[in-house]
Amino acid sequence: DKQVWVLGGPQDEESLEQVHLLSSKRTRILGGRYPLDQKIVALMHAKALISNDSGLLHVGAALGISVVGIYYFNMNASREICLLTDVV
């Protein structure tokens, strides 16, 4: 079975819970509960990463995992939401 972990910042908790409910609760929400170093450790176990243009997207690429970047332009945007797939 595939696992999907969802990361985000503390400001994303409500949105992350919606993702969890829409996925029939097949996701593991890590949200803003973990500091950056622990999010990087989670990335080290991922086979793929879907992310907005954030630091974690670039960390995933540097770690050599398959990444899909979602890019947008919004002067007021400050959210960072990532999906980790096939987490060991």
Side-chain angles (χ1 to χ4, degrees):
D1 251 0
K2 309 281 185 214
Q3 291 185 33
V4 177
W5 291 3
V6 184
L7 303 174
Q11 72 280 7
D12 300 316
E13 290 294 329
E14 185 177 322
S15 298
L16 297 175
E17 185 58 32
Q18 290 176 359
V19 168
H20 183 61
L21 294 173
L22 290 171
S23 71
S24 300
K25 299 184 180 180
R26 293 183 307 223
T27 55
R28 180 169 177 202
I29 303 300
L30 302 180
R33 301 176 199 138
Y34 299 95
L36 179 60
D37 61 336
Q38 290 181 358
K39 290 177 183 178
I40 292 171
V41 169
L43 280 174
M44 293 170 67
H45 297 283
K47 292 183 180 176
L49 168 66
I50 302 169
S51 175
N52 63 327
D53 184 19
S54 67
L56 289 178
L57 175 73
H58 300 286
V59 170
L63 291 172
I65 62 175
S66 298
V67 298
V68 174
I70 300 171
Y71 297 87
Y72 60 94
F73 179 76
N74 182 339
M75 294 294 287
N76 298 316
S78 64
R79 293 182 172 216
E80 179 177 293
I81 298 177
C82 303
L83 303 176
L84 303 180
T85 62
D86 287 335
V87 177
V88 176

